[in-house]
Amino acid sequence: MKKVYKWLGLEKHEDFVNEYFAVANFRASLYMSIVIIVLEGWMILSLAIRWLSGDRTRTTDWYVSHVTWYGIMIVSAVMVLYFSLGYLKKRLTGPFMRFIGQSVLAAFALVSLSFGMNVSISDYSRGEQILCFVMMVIYVIGLLNWRPVIAITTATAAYLVFYHRMGQFPMHPISYATKVNLFTLWVSNVMLSLSVYQQRLSEAEKENELEKASVRDDLTGIPNFPTFRTKAARLLQENGVDDRIFLFLDIANFKSYNEKYGFEMGNECIRDIARLISQVFEEDLYARFSDDHFVVLTRRSRLDGKLRQLQLNGSGDQDVNQISLKVGAYEPRHQDVDPSIACDHARYACSMIKKHYDHDYCEYDREMDAGFRRRQYIVTHIEEAVEKGYIRVFYQPVVTAKDRTLCGLEALARWVDPIYGFLSPADFIPALEEYRLIGKLDKAVIEIVCRDLQESITDNRRVVPVSVNISRLDFELLNVPALFRSCLENFEIQPHFLHAEITESALVLSEGVLKKATDQLKELGSQLWLDDFGSGYSSLNVLKDYDFDVMKIDMSFLKNFEGNEKSRTILKSITAMASLIGMRTVCEGVETAEAADFLTQIGCERLQGYYFGKPMPLSEIWEKGEHFA
Ligand code: C2E
Ligand code: CA
Ligand code: CA
């Protein structure tokens, strides 16, 4: 039954399919209407010439009736032309205009059919062929897309009427051959209309699928950001900014959730949140922005209730309950605002509360303007900064505890900008990490370090190993071992002069990839340093799973070190444990002689901190010579 319905074209179509049919019909009619305007115009002209030149072989009535027919054809063709052009050029849009246009088309189809019929009947009465009727039927039934019921009914009716009118000429009785020909024509017309319809329908459905895929996000099925941007811009244009507010939603602690439960569960969590957002903001615009980020354009007056729903609606699942959302908000000031930029503002507000466990909502205000602009500047100018040499590398000395001589350097990035002046890593590292651009910086730093090393070797300086900071994202954004290898080769540096400092927090993520990369770095001959050890990110497990050469003890242990017995005991135990498992130790953040002496005494092998020297340009390191402090 369903099949018959479908075959007859009785099923309901999605709007996209209706639109597709309408466009195809308008396009076909566009050409047809031009042909008819030219043809009928020519007919009227030739009749006029005939009449004016005094030909009265026909009655005046005959002239008038013919000109009237041609006139009706021209007028309806002009209307079709107007609607087809307007629709195809998108000057006329929307379902209502489509309905009007299609009605005009239907009227045109009927006029064409009766015109073809009249002309051909008059031809037939003179013993000539019925080409005009055939041509019109092919156009109306075969070329346009009607639902098959309509096409079949119309074709049948047209042929029956035509057949009946042919029978009205006693001097031309319908021969057997003519009957067969007419029947064959009818059959082929019906077949043509059916096949055109089915073919168009499948094309339309395929395109509909593609269209859906291009507006939806693959993972969650909710709209993607480009769709959001277009719709949001249109909405603000049409309705203004009154009561509108952009939200940027970030799943708090998503990284650790992913680490703990794995990739699949992480995706499941993103899908859950997408579902929640689509329920809470059902009447608003929303989209997945990227990774674990979503954006919404909603009404300020309803915001409080919606935010409450976001927090309460978390599914009953214990684990999912650990998940909460951080929300940044931005009230657009002008209806021409670019939704991407509005979302960036909301995102910036959201980043303000990233590390504040007691805040889950933050609204952008004018005081954030300077910070926001600087951050936008950073993420849009990092490539330029690398190319133009605004990125510099400062070096901080690392000394051996025993004799306090230089044994290594840590490379720390600085951005000396023509507009913003001196930027510290605290300004640009978090921004670059958030926008996944940190790889560009770290690649540049590694290259600068290798170039500096090469120059030092050429200048016959005493060369010490340099450790570079590798962000955990670098392992996703770059092929770190390949980068190390190519830089070392290009600048002809021995691998043991280049070390990689990786923070603990990097190690929990995407274990397999990271393990492989760190193993490759070691194979290459570069040392691996575990940065910020004890800063609270992860467990002692990383010590057993990874093959680190050096442990860098976080400077937080030296805070309030003076009177604090516990700090001393902890430092002592860490150093002892490191040496038991065959790791060497560096302690960073050494600011006083007392701290340096204590660390030396408990067997920490190397020291780094302001007491020995702040990060400085390489030339200053050379000026200082061997001894620091
Ligand atoms: P980090 O790797 O832990 O680097 C040590 C930071 O502590 C440096 O700050 C350094 O100047 C500072 N410091 C050194 N000695 C002392 C001291 O005695 N007392 C105190 N209070 N601080 C000391 P800086 O250069 O501002 O870098 C901050 C962070 O930015 C670095 O922390 C590192 O995580 C990141 N970073 C710096 N350069 C790069 C880079 O090229 N790539 C990546 N991915 N991260 C970098
Ligand atoms: Ca470091
Ligand atoms: Ca550190």
Side-chain angles (χ1 to χ4, degrees):
M1 199 58 198
K2 226 178 172 175
K3 267 210 169 131
V4 177
Y5 252 63
K6 201 170 167 187
W7 189 79
L8 287 173
L10 288 169
E11 83 273 37
K12 212 172 139 34
H13 290 326
E14 283 184 45
D15 199 51
F16 182 91
V17 175
N18 286 330
E19 176 75 15
Y20 191 89
F21 278 149
V23 167
N25 281 352
F26 283 131
R27 196 164 295 135
S29 306
L30 188 71
Y31 303 126
M32 193 62 187
S33 60
I34 294 174
V35 168
I36 289 198
I37 290 169
V38 173
L39 218 64
E40 307 307 293
W42 166 244
M43 295 302 278
I44 291 180
L45 195 71
S46 62
L47 280 189
I49 293 172
R50 232 171 109 179
W51 198 76
L52 287 175
S53 64
D55 181 354
R56 295 292 185 277
T57 46
R58 305 280 181 167
T59 62
T60 309
D61 274 2
W62 184 89
Y63 277 111
V64 171
S65 84
H66 273 71
V67 169
T68 311
W69 256 118
Y70 297 146
I72 294 175
M73 284 300 287
I74 288 193
V75 170
S76 48
V78 167
M79 282 183 51
V80 167
L81 187 64
Y82 171 77
F83 270 94
S84 305
L85 270 180
Y87 205 81
L88 294 175
K89 295 244 175 264
K90 302 211 184 316
R91 265 184 283 119
L92 309 172
T93 49
F96 179 68
M97 275 301 151
R98 189 167 73 208
F99 175 75
I100 299 286
Q102 278 176 321
S103 308
V104 170
L105 254 190
F108 182 60
L110 284 182
V111 170
S112 301
L113 274 183
S114 23
F115 175 79
M117 208 177 285
N118 277 333
V119 172
S120 284
I121 284 295
S122 123
D123 289 345
Y124 181 72
S125 71
R126 279 180 277 123
E128 286 172 24
Q129 290 180 340
I130 52 169
L131 283 179
C132 192
F133 177 66
V134 173
M135 186 180 112
M136 288 303 174
V137 176
I138 290 179
Y139 158 64
V140 170
I141 314 282
L143 217 60
L144 300 183
N145 304 285
W146 308 104
R147 293 188 179 239
V149 250
I150 300 178
I152 294 171
T153 318
T154 315
T156 311
Y159 275 92
L160 283 178
V161 171
F162 192 69
Y163 182 75
H164 172 72
R165 290 185 62 185
M166 283 172 103
Q168 292 171 332
F169 301 102
M171 55 290 203
H172 295 298
I174 311 171
S175 68
Y176 181 70
T178 303
K179 286 180 189 168
V180 171
N181 283 347
L182 267 189
F183 180 72
T184 318
L185 273 176
W186 174 80
V187 170
S188 41
N189 252 308
V190 167
M191 300 304 281
L192 181 64
S193 76
L194 284 180
S195 89
V196 167
Y197 174 80
Q198 291 301 342
Q199 190 194 342
R200 283 279 153 76
L201 183 62
S202 80
E203 280 167 14
E205 281 170 348
K206 228 179 271 158
E207 283 211 11
N208 193 12
E209 288 304 310
L210 283 177
E211 170 87 7
K212 274 189 195 157
S214 73
V215 300
R216 305 221 159 248
D217 168 60
D218 279 348
L219 177 66
T220 60
I222 70 172
N224 60 19
F225 185 65
T227 313
F228 174 87
R229 196 173 49 207
T230 318
K231 289 195 174 168
R234 200 181 307 142
L235 189 132
L236 295 183
Q237 276 298 330
E238 286 168 8
N239 302 308
V241 290
D242 257 8
D243 198 32
R244 305 281 168 181
I245 191 159
F246 280 91
L247 306 180
F248 183 91
L249 300 95
D250 179 13
I251 306 180
N253 306 322
F254 181 71
K255 298 254 146 51
S256 41
Y257 184 89
N258 230 351
E259 283 147 14
K260 206 161 157 194
Y261 300 106
F263 191 65
E264 260 313 306
M265 287 286 283
N267 279 350
E268 197 46 54
C269 165
I270 291 182
R271 274 192 286 259
D272 281 346
I273 297 290
R275 206 171 306 125
L276 174 66
I277 289 175
S278 64
Q279 284 160 6
V280 174
F281 295 101
E282 201 184 350
E283 309 129 35
D284 302 302
L285 294 179
Y286 55 84
R288 177 161 177 232
F289 182 82
S290 62
D291 311 304
D292 55 329
H293 306 141
F294 300 85
V295 286
V296 171
L297 175 57
T298 183
R299 289 185 172 277
R300 153 138 257 156
S301 49
R302 301 197 210 123
L303 188 60
D304 283 348
K306 304 243 170 201
L307 289 179
R308 231 171 294 125
Q309 269 173 286
L310 272 187
Q311 305 306 348
L312 293 179
N313 264 12
S315 86
D317 190 324
Q318 278 290 316
D319 292 336
V320 177
N321 266 340
Q322 291 177 351
I323 294 282
S324 66
L325 286 167
K326 297 261 184 206
V327 182
Y330 174 73
E331 216 172 66
R333 292 169 199 168
H334 199 279
Q335 73 186 88
D336 291 331
V337 66
D338 177 345
S340 303
I341 295 177
C343 290
D344 271 339
H345 280 89
R347 181 182 196 168
Y348 184 73
C350 189
S351 74
M352 296 281 107
I353 48 168
K354 209 164 188 157
K355 299 232 163 77
H356 296 71
Y357 297 103
D358 47 346
H359 285 74
D360 46 24
Y361 178 79
C362 175
E363 200 167 319
Y364 189 91
D365 63 37
R366 290 207 172 233
E367 275 165 29
M368 297 181 188
D369 274 349
F372 174 74
R373 270 201 296 273
R374 189 168 59 187
R375 190 185 181 102
Q376 290 301 97
Y377 181 84
I378 286 166
V379 297
T380 49
H381 287 77
I382 173 66
E383 283 180 44
E384 188 186 332
V386 168
E387 271 165 30
K388 298 202 170 151
Y390 304 156
I391 301 297
R392 309 269 170 82
V393 173
F394 275 28
Y395 293 92
Q396 187 175 29
V398 180
V399 302
T400 35
K402 278 207 184 87
D403 56 12
R404 311 282 160 96
T405 55
L406 185 71
C407 67
L409 296 169
E410 176 175 10
L412 293 155
R414 300 291 180 262
W415 180 326
V416 187
D417 192 80
I419 296 173
Y420 281 97
F422 194 91
L423 293 168
S424 85
D427 296 319
F428 57 84
I429 302 277
L432 293 177
E433 287 192 332
E434 192 173 331
Y435 283 79
R436 298 177 71 85
L437 293 167
I438 187 74
K440 297 192 188 294
L441 175 89
D442 285 339
K443 181 166 180 279
V445 168
I446 293 170
E447 282 169 3
I448 296 172
V449 165
C450 286
R451 194 181 322 126
D452 283 349
L453 278 167
Q454 191 187 41
E455 265 177 39
S456 309
I457 293 168
T458 327
D459 289 356
N460 275 325
R461 309 244 179 217
R462 186 173 85 92
V463 180
V464 290
V466 178
S467 54
V468 290
N469 290 285
I470 304 295
S471 164
R472 65 151 138 193
L473 276 175
D474 287 337
F475 293 99
E476 292 171 34
L477 302 170
L478 302 169
N479 182 340
V480 180
L483 180 64
F484 264 56
R485 185 179 302 120
S486 72
C487 277
L488 291 169
E489 273 171 18
N490 289 347
F491 293 97
E492 298 172 318
I493 311 287
Q494 287 176 312
H496 67 265
F497 281 124
L498 191 64
H499 302 166
E501 273 188 32
I502 306 170
T503 50
E504 258 188 302
S505 66
L507 304 172
V508 263
L509 189 79
S510 48
E511 245 168 64
V513 183
L514 208 90
K515 178 83 177 102
K516 199 167 146 219
T518 50
D519 285 351
Q520 284 174 344
L521 281 175
K522 289 221 58 169
E523 263 168 46
L524 204 69
S526 289
Q527 282 190 14
L528 282 188
W529 290 33
L530 177 55
D531 202 358
D532 298 343
F533 181 79
S535 64
Y537 277 108
S538 70
S539 62
L540 295 172
N541 256 334
V542 299
L543 297 178
K544 116 179 154 335
D545 293 337
Y546 293 87
D547 201 4
F548 281 96
D549 302 282
V550 177
M551 170 194 291
K552 198 167 198 181
I553 301 167
D554 194 65
M555 62 183 86
S556 57
F557 291 106
L558 291 180
K559 292 254 154 68
N560 313 318
F561 159 82
E562 253 80 291
N564 197 327
E565 253 325 295
K566 273 192 190 152
S567 281
R568 289 166 190 256
T569 315
I570 294 172
L571 279 168
K572 218 169 170 173
S573 330
I574 294 178
T575 321
M577 176 188 67
S579 95
L580 279 176
I581 57 174
M583 282 172 87
R584 319 185 74 176
T585 41
V586 182
C587 194
E588 63 180 340
V590 181
E591 294 181 355
T592 60
E594 195 198 348
D597 292 341
F598 171 75
L599 288 163
T600 313
Q601 192 196 319
I602 62 169
C604 180
E605 290 160 79
R606 299 176 197 179
L607 309 173
Q608 178 185 357
Y610 291 169
Y611 181 67
F612 303 103
K614 292 194 168 182
M616 55 189 111
L618 191 59
S619 55
E620 283 179 36
I621 297 273
W622 298 142
E623 275 164 29
K624 293 214 170 215
E626 286 277 298
H627 292 275
F628 289 81

